[in-house]
Amino acid sequence: WEKALKEAFLAAQKDLLELAKAEDINLDASGAAGSILVFEGPTIHVAHIGDAGAMVASWNRHDSRLIYGTEDHKPNSPGERERLEAAGSEVREVDEDSFR
């Protein structure tokens, strides 16, 4: 599943870049986010980009609990900024506490 989910995100990025070029959309001032959850029997596969977080929870009248929650990929967090810059991206503050 890891390979399939990664390929899905890469294909979506390719489509987005093609659309932006065809429609003259400036992606430098834009961001993207998305989450995918695949349920396979008792296993849940999660992939996400950006700050589109996902949570898996269990709820009933007697017991409610968070089973899993993603951590947002925010460009102002040190680890994410390092990862983005190492991949050749530029991280900049476009407004107070708003990074792209």
Side-chain angles (χ1 to χ4, degrees), residues 70-81:
T70 60
E71 186 174 321
D72 291 350
H73 299 147
K74 294 192 176 272
N76 55 324
S77 66
E80 184 64 7
R81 182 179 196 135

Side-chain angles (χ1 to χ4, degrees), residues 37-82:
L37 284 82
V38 178
F39 292 82
E40 180 183 36
T43 303
I44 303 170
H45 305 275
V46 180
H48 73 105
I49 59 169
D51 57 1
M55 293 189 296
V56 177
S58 174
W59 178 87
N60 66 44
R61 293 185 295 198
H62 308 291
D63 180 33
S64 300
R65 58 195 164 100
L66 176 66
I67 297 169
Y68 176 79
T70 60
E71 186 174 321
D72 291 350
H73 299 147
K74 294 192 176 272
N76 55 324
S77 66
E80 184 64 7
R81 182 179 196 135
E82 289 171 13

